[in-house]
Amino acid sequence: MQEKIFYILALSAFFSIICYTIFLFHGNGSFMRLPFVPQGALERNRTTSRKIMEHVWTTHTSDVSHKTTSRHLDVCPDTPPTLVGPLLVEFETKRTLESVRNHVGFSLHQGGRYKPPNCIAKQKVAIIIPFRNRYEHLNHWLYYVHPILMHQQLDYGVYIINQEGDGVFNRAKLMNIGFVEALREYDYECFAFADVDLVPIDDRNLYRCSEHPRHLSVAIDKFNYVLSSVTAFGGVSLLSEEQFLKVNGFSNTFWGWGGEDDDLYNRIIFRGMSISRPDAKIAKYKMIKHKRDLHNEVNPKNAIKAKETAINIDTDGLNSLNYTVKEILKDKMYTFITVDVQAPPV
């Protein structure tokens, strides 16, 4: 009896399957229709899934990194919190560019660029260094000054303006070139014109422009940390873009050593401005000892020319600048621009 019941049930099940199959194949289509999801919906689902996972991962990683990528950045404080004050600076250690790059380059971007990661810098500053054959000095400068500028929370770039050839050196013209070339790359607001042989020994001496052109290298060890002259404006000086344009930049005609800083000081005074200085207690610098460079000897004509500022200020400067860029090299430590300044024959 049980076998008959089982046999009847098996036949019923088989018959039901046959009917269901006929039903599925019935009609115009001759294939089995499966549940269908539009491809776009699949893609949207995948995208949504990815977005959810990215959100979870971003939330997690931003929590770990204190949410530095998503939070609103405030302007950096007037007094940077990481300043340390007096610094130990020595030039006896032999430093190569590679060793300096390994020491301080991890926080820098190509071209010697840096921005503070946790706040918006109060100023965008271009550091302009006139240069020729001072590689040992440059390594010391990079080693010490990059960390100082980082501590000061500046948005800055370092530009080495290298005079091509062995002609008579023209520091002032190289400064003008640095100003023009830096502005081609970024909207800098402040320009620090700095000699490569001067290194600050206190990071509280801020490389920021003020309402007056600013002289930073007030107290240099060579002069027993005393201001050499009340009209001194050489070494390390800062002018805003507006101030530098107002004085028509440096003169382009001071060939050889001396006079160009006196002329710039005169330009500032003639344009109705005055200079400012930080306290000598913090505006201290060490100078790297060296001999006078070849073809940068004292030019007696420069002292005379420095007394003719009023005659030349409107025609000799940024508006009469001519030069040729020969090469631009981008390194993590700096932007190195080699230029032909059209020097007169030696």
Side-chain angles (χ1 to χ4, degrees), residues 120-287:
I120 300 172
K122 296 186 76 67
Q123 290 187 13
K124 302 171 185 176
V125 183
I127 314 296
I128 311 297
I129 298 179
F131 185 84
R132 186 168 66 182
N133 298 328
R134 295 278 199 91
Y135 293 97
E136 182 180 352
H137 297 177
L138 180 59
N139 291 339
H140 289 307
W141 190 96
L142 295 168
Y143 179 85
Y144 285 113
V145 182
H146 265 306
I148 289 173
L149 300 175
M150 293 178 197
H151 289 170
Q152 296 182 1
Q153 296 182 314
L154 300 173
D155 178 356
Y156 75 89
V158 172
Y159 294 84
I160 313 300
I161 313 302
N162 177 48
Q163 181 171 326
E164 182 187 52
D166 297 322
V168 181
F169 195 65
N170 191 325
R171 175 180 177 271
K173 192 170 186 178
L174 293 173
M175 299 290 205
N176 282 343
I177 294 170
F179 174 83
V180 172
E181 291 298 319
L183 280 177
R184 291 183 190 277
E185 293 194 345
Y186 195 52
D187 57 336
Y188 292 106
E189 307 158 300
C190 177
F191 297 82
F193 302 99
D195 287 341
V196 73
D197 58 359
L198 285 177
V199 173
I201 58 176
D202 194 313
D203 63 0
R204 294 172 296 176
N205 189 14
L206 300 180
Y207 279 60
R208 284 191 207 149
C209 288
S210 66
E211 58 182 301
H212 303 287
R214 194 158 178 81
H215 182 222
L216 290 193
S217 53
V218 176
I220 303 174
D221 62 344
K222 179 180 178 180
F223 305 114
N224 297 315
Y225 297 110
V226 176
L227 184 65
S228 60
S229 167
V230 293
T231 61
F233 200 65
V236 183
S237 305
L238 276 67
L239 292 92
S240 69
E241 179 184 4
E242 180 182 1
Q243 291 163 358
F244 200 63
L245 291 172
K246 192 172 184 178
V247 300
N248 197 20
F250 283 87
S251 164
N252 296 309
T253 56
F254 281 81
W255 299 96
W257 189 89
E260 74 279 359
D261 295 321
D262 296 327
D263 180 74
L264 182 62
Y265 176 86
N266 292 339
R267 288 173 179 238
I268 291 168
I269 301 303
F270 289 156
R271 287 292 188 253
M273 297 182 286
S274 60
I275 66 170
S276 64
R277 293 188 177 99
D279 193 310
K281 293 179 181 178
I282 65 171
K284 293 183 176 181
Y285 284 77
K286 285 190 75 171
M287 179 179 285

Side-chain angles (χ1 to χ4, degrees), residues 24-41:
L24 290 175
F25 278 86
H26 186 266
N28 295 332
S30 59
F31 56 89
M32 185 177 291
R33 298 182 182 273
L34 298 176
F36 176 73
V37 179
Q39 184 64 25

